[in-house]
Amino acid sequence: MAAGSGTISIMAAALESALQAAGPGLCPEAEAVDAVRAALAAAGDPAALGERERARLEAFLRNLAAGPEEPAGPWRSLFLEGPPDLAFSALTDSLAAPRSDWRLAAVPEVLERFLRQGRLSALIWEQCQQHSRPGSAERQDALLGRIVCLPDLVGNSLLGQSPAVFFPQHYFPLLGGAILQVLHNVSASLRGGLDCSVSFVSHILGKVCVHGRQKEILSVLMPHLTDLTKSDCIWQRICWRLVERVPDRWMEAVVLGFVQRAPGADVLSRLLGNLVVKNKKAQFVVTQKMLLLQYGCTTAVLQNLLGYLSLESLRRALLIKVLRELLETWGSSSAVKHSPVEQQQYISKAILICLSHLKEPEIESCRQELLTSMMEGVKCHLDSSLPQIRRLGMIVAESISSKINTDGPILQFQYEEDDEARELKSLLVQAAPLSVLPGLPDNNRNENADAALPPVLESNGKSPTATTHVMPEEESDAELDSDDDLTPYDMSEDKELKKTKAPVYIRDCIEVLTGSEDLDKWEEAVKALESLVRKNPAAAREVSVELAKILLHLEEKTCLEGFAELRQKAQVAVLTTDPIPVAQYLTSQFYSLNYSLRQRMDILDVLVLAAQELSCAKGHGKTKHSGAQNPRIQLLPESGSSKDWRRIVDERIKSKTRRFAKGQSQVEQPSHPNEFNSLAGHFFFPLIQNFDRMAAMLAFACSSF
C-alpha cells in the first residue's frame, strides 16, 4: 500500500508539473508529455488512479487533442497507453472543436489506431469493473453516446471523408468483436470468483440495435454466442443477463434482432432464456407485436419464435395465450374484411405452428374452445368474396379439426392444391424434439371413432359453396361428387334470432327514435311502441304530445315491412290514450305551413280511426256464436229470485217459439257510454274553424307542390 500511494503521488506531481509547463493557449512541451508517459508507466494499472489524478490527466489529454498546434513529442502513444475512457473522451471531444489542419489528419488517425489496437474493448471492460464507483453512471452515459455514434462524429468532422474503418458496415462488426472480448473477460472473471457487471455492454447493444445496426453487430455476436452456449451454463447465464439488462426503451430492437437472426428455436432459447417471462416489454414484443401488429416476419422466424415459447414449461403458458389471441383475430369478421391478405396468411401460419407445438393434455384442456373458434372462424372466411381468403379458412379449419378430433371424422374441404396450400399444411408437422411429445405414442390415433363434429362447410373446387356434411377420412373421391346423400334440414319451425332486444319503456322508444343510429334498435322501437302505449297509459300521458310530434315527423330509415301501418297504429294509440292535448296538437298542425299533403292526410286518418275507436264498445267485434242448438227444455236455477223473472220468461218464450228461418243467435253487447261524445268538439271544431281562411288555403297550396 505504501508503494502504491508513493507511485500515485509521483503521478500527481508529474501531472502538475506538466500542466504548469504548458502556458495558456499553448500545447504542452515534449518534456511534459514524456513525464506523463513515465508516470503512467510507473503507476502500472490506470484503474488505480484516484479521482483527483484522473481529473488532472483528463484536462491534460484534452489540452493535447484540442490545441491550436500539434503537440511535440510522442503524444499519440499517450492516448494509446493511458486510461482508455479518458483518451477516448478527449479524442471525440476534439472532433467538435474548431477546425484545425493538423487535427483533421491526426485525431482520426489516433482514433483508428485506438480501435485497431483493441483499446475499445479495454474501455468497455474497464466500465464493467467500475460499475459500483461513484459517478460511474454519468460517465457511462457520456461514453455510450460517443461509442455508438462514433461514425457520425467522425463523418461530421471530416465532412464525409472518413477512413474506411469508421464506415458503419466496418465499425459495428469491430464493435461486436470488442463486446465479444469483454464477454470473454466476464466469463473468466466469474470463473475466478470476481464480481463484474454486463450492464454497460447491454446498453451498448441496445443503443446499437435501436439505431438500426442489428445486422452488423449481431452478425459477429450470434455465431460465437451460439457455439459458446451449447454446453456451458456460465455462458448461458452471461447471455441471459446481457439481454435482461437492456433498458425497456431499447428492448424491442434487441429482441427483434435475436429472433430474426437465430438459426433455430433451441439457439434462441439458449440465448434469451426466460426473458419473455421476466420482462413485460419483451413479452409484449414477442406475443403481441410480432404476431398480431406486424406481419413482416418470414415463416422461419415464426417457427423460431413460437418454438422458443414451446421449449420451456414457464413459457408454454404464453404459447397457449398466443394461440387464443390468434384464433380470436382469425375468427373476427371485421379482421377478415379489413385486413390485407398477407396479414391473414401470416396469422394462419402462426396458428398452424402453434397447433404443431401443442401437447395432448393441452389440446384436451382447450378442446371445446378450439372447436368454437374453428366454427366461428371458418364461417367468416367462407363468407369472404376472395377465393384466397376462403381457402385459408378451409386449411386452418381442417388443421384444427385434425388436432381436436383425432379419434373421429375430421373436416375435409375441396380446394385447389398449390405450393401455398402445401406449405401451410406442412407447418402442422414439426420435426422432433419440438412437436413430438415423448412417452405419448402418436400412432393408432384413428382406431376408435367415438365423437363426431357438427355439420361443417364443404367447398367445391375453386368456388366454395355452403353445402355441408361430415365426411370420414376413408371416403373415396368418387363419393365426393355425389349429392344424393345430402338430406335437407327441416327449417319450418326456425325462428329468426333477434340481435337487439325490444325496448320496455316508452321513454326508451323516444330516445331511440330521436337519437339512435342503431337501425336494429330503431325497428324494434317502431314495432313495440303501440303495445307500450296501450299497456302503460299513465306513462304515455306524460309524454303524449311529444310522442305525437315524433310520430308525425317520423320517416322510414330502413325497409321495414308495414312501417306506415305501425306508425299509424302508434299514433292512434297515443291519441286514444290522451285525446284532448294530442287532438289539439294534431288539429293545430293540420293548417300549418311546411307540411306535405301526405302528412295532412295522415293527420285526418289518425283522427278518424281514433274517433271510431273511442265511439265503439271496448269489446267491439268479439261476438260469441253459439256452437250448438239451444235445448228445448232448460233447467231453471234453484234459487228463483224476483230480479231474474224477465230472463226466465224470455227463455220460456224462446223455447216454445217455433221459427222456420233464423241465423245464429248473438249475445247482446253490454251498453256503455260513448267516450267520443265529450271529445267530438276537440276533433271537429279546430278543423272546421280555419277551413275557408286564406292562410289555410295557402298552406294546402304549398303542400301540393
Side-chain angles (χ1 to χ4, degrees):
M1 291 295 296
S5 60
T7 303
I8 291 177
S9 63
I10 294 173
M11 175 66 188
L15 285 175
E16 186 174 356
S17 62
L19 291 173
Q20 290 177 355
L26 299 175
C27 293
E29 298 294 339
E31 293 79 4
V33 174
D34 291 336
V36 174
R37 286 188 63 200
L40 284 174
D45 186 9
L49 297 177
E51 291 298 325
R52 181 180 178 185
E53 287 74 21
R54 287 179 59 85
R56 290 185 176 183
L57 181 58
E58 183 178 10
F60 182 77
L61 293 176
R62 291 179 186 277
N63 197 14
L64 279 178
E69 298 178 359
E70 183 175 2
W75 65 274
R76 291 177 174 84
S77 60
L78 190 60
F79 286 92
L80 303 176
E81 298 169 0
D85 58 335
L86 301 182
F88 187 75
S89 298
L91 290 173
T92 52
D93 285 345
S94 68
L95 295 175
R99 297 173 60 83
S100 177
D101 293 339
W102 77 270
R103 196 184 305 113
L104 291 177
V107 171
E109 178 191 349
V110 177
L111 272 173
E112 183 175 355
R113 292 175 59 187
F114 186 92
L115 296 177
R116 295 191 182 280
Q117 292 183 13
R119 300 299 292 167
L120 188 58
S121 62
L123 185 158
I124 300 173
W125 172 239
E126 184 181 77
Q127 300 305 311
C128 293
Q129 293 176 301
Q130 298 178 0
H131 62 94
S132 59
R133 289 188 178 183
S136 60
E138 291 77 8
R139 282 198 301 272
Q140 289 182 1
D141 287 342
L143 288 171
L144 179 64
R146 291 168 177 165
I147 292 173
V148 176
C149 300
L150 183 61
D152 297 332
L153 294 175
V154 177
N156 292 337
S157 177
L158 301 182
L159 302 180
Q161 303 298 321
S162 303
V165 71
F166 296 108
F167 292 171
Q169 62 268 29
H170 298 150
Y171 172 74
F172 288 106
L174 190 148
L175 178 59
I179 289 177
L180 197 61
Q181 180 60 46
V182 172
L183 294 179
H184 277 284
N185 295 342
V186 172
S187 175
S189 178
L190 292 176
R191 296 176 198 276
L194 300 178
D195 186 24
C196 58
S197 172
V198 295
S199 295
F200 188 64
V201 183
S202 301
H203 286 211
I204 293 176
L205 178 62
K207 192 157 188 176
V208 170
C209 290
V210 86
H211 280 205
R213 297 298 175 180
Q214 299 105 317
K215 179 181 178 181
E216 289 83 354
I217 195 168
L218 292 180
S219 63
V220 176
L221 290 177
M222 290 287 288
H224 291 86
L225 294 179
T226 300
D227 293 336
L228 292 169
T229 55
K230 281 183 179 179
S231 58
D232 195 330
C233 61
I234 293 181
W235 270 103
Q236 289 185 9
R237 287 178 55 200
I238 292 173
C239 290
W240 297 349
R241 189 59 58 89
L242 177 66
V243 292
E244 288 171 7
R245 291 297 180 87
V246 174
D248 285 349
R249 61 184 182 275
W250 301 329
M251 181 62 73
E252 178 181 347
V254 174
V255 171
L256 285 175
F258 273 85
V259 171
Q260 291 171 352
R261 287 162 182 83
D266 54 338
V267 175
L268 193 61
S269 181
R270 293 202 309 265
L271 297 180
L272 298 184
N274 287 328
L275 178 66
V276 292
V277 179
K278 299 177 181 179
N279 188 282
K280 294 297 183 183
K281 180 68 174 180
Q283 184 180 125
F284 170 76
V285 172
V286 171
T287 63
Q288 296 285 326
K289 193 160 189 178
M290 294 187 69
L291 296 175
L292 298 174
L293 305 180
Q294 298 175 350
Y295 55 96
C297 297
T298 62
T299 304
V301 172
L302 271 179
Q303 289 175 321
N304 288 346
L305 179 64
L306 298 171
Y308 160 72
L309 294 178
S310 68
L311 286 178
E312 211 278 334
S313 57
L314 291 176
R315 302 195 294 264
R316 291 196 70 86
L318 294 177
L319 179 68
I320 303 298
K321 175 185 175 185
V322 163
L323 178 59
R324 288 193 177 101
E325 293 175 348
L326 287 170
L327 287 173
E328 182 180 355
T329 304
W330 179 76
S332 170
S333 59
S334 176
V336 172
K337 290 178 181 177
H338 302 101
S339 298
V341 177
E342 293 78 8
Q343 185 172 11
Q344 298 188 48
Q345 290 175 338
Y346 184 81
I347 291 176
S348 300
K349 291 179 180 180
I351 291 173
L352 296 177
I353 296 172
C354 286
L355 289 173
S356 70
H357 292 303
L358 288 185
K359 300 178 181 179
E360 196 62 37
E362 295 168 337
I363 296 176
E364 188 65 32
S365 64
C366 58
R367 186 183 304 275
Q368 187 59 40
E369 187 176 355
L370 289 174
L371 177 60
T372 303
S373 301
M374 179 192 72
M375 299 305 292
E376 293 177 355
V378 76
K379 179 182 182 301
C380 297
H381 282 75
L382 292 180
D383 287 343
S384 174
S385 60
L386 300 177
Q388 194 173 6
I389 300 299
R390 295 197 294 270
R391 187 175 60 175
L392 278 176
M394 297 175 196
I395 296 174
V396 176
E398 283 183 354
S399 304
I400 298 175
S401 175
S402 66
K403 277 290 183 179
I404 64 177
N405 207 38
T406 56
D407 296 332
I410 62 174
L411 284 176
Q412 283 188 348
F413 294 92
Q414 287 182 335
Y415 48 83
E416 182 182 2
E417 287 278 353
D418 56 6
D419 293 339
E420 180 185 349
R422 285 187 286 272
E423 179 191 2
L424 287 171
K425 290 183 177 181
S426 68
L427 297 177
L428 198 62
V429 181
Q430 292 289 337
L434 298 183
S435 62
V436 176
L437 181 63
L440 294 179
D442 238 3
N443 52 359
N444 299 328
R445 280 187 170 186
N446 297 321
E447 292 180 355
N448 300 320
D450 296 332
L453 289 175
V456 294
L457 294 173
E458 175 185 330
S459 65
N460 186 4
K462 294 183 179 180
S463 302
T465 64
T467 307
T468 65
H469 69 281
V470 176
M471 188 187 308
E473 287 184 330
E474 61 271 10
E475 189 171 358
S476 64
D477 294 337
E479 294 176 350
L480 295 177
D481 298 331
S482 175
D483 293 339
D484 298 337
D485 298 334
L486 301 182
T487 303
Y489 287 106
D490 183 11
M491 303 178 65
S492 59
E493 298 182 358
D494 285 5
K495 296 181 180 179
E496 182 180 359
L497 296 177
K498 294 183 178 180
K499 299 180 180 179
T500 305
K501 294 183 179 180
V504 294
Y505 298 104
I506 296 177
R507 292 191 182 274
D508 292 343
C509 290
I510 294 176
E511 182 178 351
V512 171
L513 294 177
T514 55
S516 177
E517 297 295 333
D518 191 333
L519 298 182
D520 292 334
K521 289 185 178 180
W522 186 88
E523 289 185 357
E524 294 298 327
V526 173
K527 294 177 182 177
L529 184 56
E530 180 197 3
S531 61
L532 291 178
V533 170
R534 296 192 183 277
K535 290 178 182 177
N536 305 282
R541 291 188 188 98
E542 296 178 359
V543 291
S544 57
V545 177
E546 182 181 358
L547 265 178
K549 182 177 180 181
I550 293 171
L551 292 171
L552 180 61
H553 297 85
L554 188 63
E555 296 181 355
E556 186 175 7
K557 293 183 178 180
T558 63
C559 297
L560 178 61
E561 185 178 358
F563 166 75
E565 183 180 358
L566 291 172
R567 185 183 66 160
Q568 187 181 74
K569 287 182 177 180
Q571 287 178 298
V572 172
V574 174
L575 182 53
T576 55
T577 302
D578 197 10
I580 295 178
V582 177
Q584 290 175 350
Y585 170 75
L586 292 177
T587 53
S588 65
Q589 298 299 307
F590 182 76
Y591 290 110
S592 298
L593 298 176
N594 301 325
Y595 278 100
S596 66
L597 189 60
R598 178 69 263 172
Q599 287 174 305
R600 302 181 198 277
M601 294 300 297
D602 288 343
I603 293 175
L604 292 179
D605 291 340
V606 169
L607 291 172
V608 170
L609 293 174
Q612 291 176 353
E613 182 175 333
L614 290 171
S615 61
C616 293
K618 294 294 183 182
H620 179 69
K622 298 181 180 179
T623 59
K624 298 180 181 178
H625 303 281
S626 58
Q629 291 183 353
N630 293 330
R632 293 292 182 182
I633 301 175
Q634 296 184 358
L635 298 178
L636 298 177
E638 297 181 358
S639 58
S641 58
S642 59
K643 59 183 179 182
D644 292 333
W645 66 270
R646 183 178 293 277
R647 181 177 61 83
I648 296 172
V649 171
D650 290 340
E651 289 177 355
R652 287 178 178 176
I653 295 173
K654 192 175 182 180
S655 63
K656 296 180 182 292
T657 302
R658 187 178 182 184
R659 294 182 175 87
F660 296 97
K662 73 171 184 177
Q664 294 180 340
S665 60
Q666 296 183 354
V667 179
E668 294 183 5
Q669 297 293 332
S671 61
H672 65 90
N674 191 335
E675 295 183 10
F676 187 65
N677 185 30
S678 59
L679 302 172
H682 297 285
F683 282 62
F684 177 72
F685 291 116
L687 292 176
I688 203 64
Q689 182 179 4
N690 297 320
F691 177 70
D692 56 349
R693 295 190 180 180
M694 185 60 67
M697 298 173 67
L698 179 61
F700 272 100
C702 292
S703 63
S704 62
F705 290 100

